[in-house]
Amino acid sequence: MSLLAIASALCASEAFAAAGGTLVVFYSRSGNTRAAAKIVQESLGGDIFELKTVRPYPADYRETTEVARKEQKENARPALQTKQAPKLSRYDSVILASPCWWGTFPMAFMTFFEANDLAGKKVAVLMTHGGSGLGRSEEDLAKYCPKAKLLKGLAIYGGDVNNAEEDIEEWLRDIGVK
């Protein structure tokens, strides 16, 4: 076998191994959503990408909710340290893990949606919340990513994240990414 044939075979096998993977994109202020995102990532063996705002939200929860409310009213696009997901073309599926702020994603996700094309990808939402469930996150996702293949979302009460592994595993199987 020639060196060129070996190199081609290696490249093809690496491309095949990378194709079809799942990327977990998450934002977490308190750590609850980070914990849920890590459960998903470890379950799937996929990659993980954290959205980090340039300007952090306040440490105080109530102050954060007011900033989040103001951002929604102003349709803000908070600056992210890195907007572009790494090698997004490698993934067939994207799981978006987010806290539910005022019924939807933090506006940092809107910055992400505008910088990353999720067209043709299977996309599902995992929301951590304090009582609002998924809110209108799935409707907003459909609006911002109209060409994505939207899958059923999962809501996890924030305080229950550490006990949600079975629920997350079942959800991943139900939506067909595991």
Side-chain angles (χ1 to χ4, degrees):
M1 187 175 227
S2 75
L3 192 53
L4 182 58
I6 292 170
S8 293
L10 283 172
C11 288
S13 67
E14 285 178 20
F16 179 77
T22 299
L23 176 65
V24 179
V25 177
F26 78 96
Y27 173 78
S28 185
R29 186 193 70 84
S30 68
N32 286 334
T33 307
R34 176 180 285 108
K38 287 191 183 260
I39 292 169
V40 172
Q41 186 265 330
E42 289 170 2
S43 175
L44 298 175
D47 295 327
I48 195 162
F49 177 68
E50 181 176 7
L51 299 181
K52 295 179 184 178
T53 54
V54 170
R55 187 174 47 190
Y57 288 93
D60 180 75
Y61 176 75
R62 294 278 178 225
E63 287 178 52
T64 295
T65 63
E66 291 309 313
V67 170
R69 177 184 282 181
K70 183 178 182 213
E71 285 178 349
Q72 275 192 18
K73 284 183 180 180
E74 295 173 355
N75 202 25
R77 298 297 186 265
L80 299 176
Q81 291 178 16
T82 305
K83 298 192 282 196
Q84 195 68 39
K87 301 177 185 168
L88 193 57
S89 62
R90 289 180 37 186
Y91 306 100
D92 287 339
S93 303
V94 178
I95 304 293
L96 304 170
S98 173
C100 192
W101 287 0
W102 296 106
T104 194
F105 297 95
M107 296 307 285
F109 266 98
M110 304 315 159
T111 304
F112 173 80
F113 294 149
E114 290 176 357
N116 295 274
D117 185 7
L118 299 179
K121 306 224 178 280
K122 294 184 279 183
V123 181
V125 177
L126 185 158
M127 281 281 171
T128 58
H129 65 93
S132 59
L134 289 168
R136 66 181 184 281
S137 62
E138 292 178 308
E139 292 86 2
D140 286 346
L141 181 60
K143 182 170 60 175
Y144 284 98
C145 304
K147 295 182 180 178
K149 298 172 188 171
L150 305 182
L151 306 174
K152 180 181 82 168
L154 176 68
I156 299 173
Y157 187 76
D160 295 339
V161 168
N162 293 325
N163 299 316
E165 191 168 342
E166 286 181 28
D167 292 337
I168 291 172
E169 294 275 345
E170 181 179 336
W171 170 67
L172 294 170
R173 281 190 298 276
D174 287 350
I175 64 172
V177 296
K178 181 164 179 140

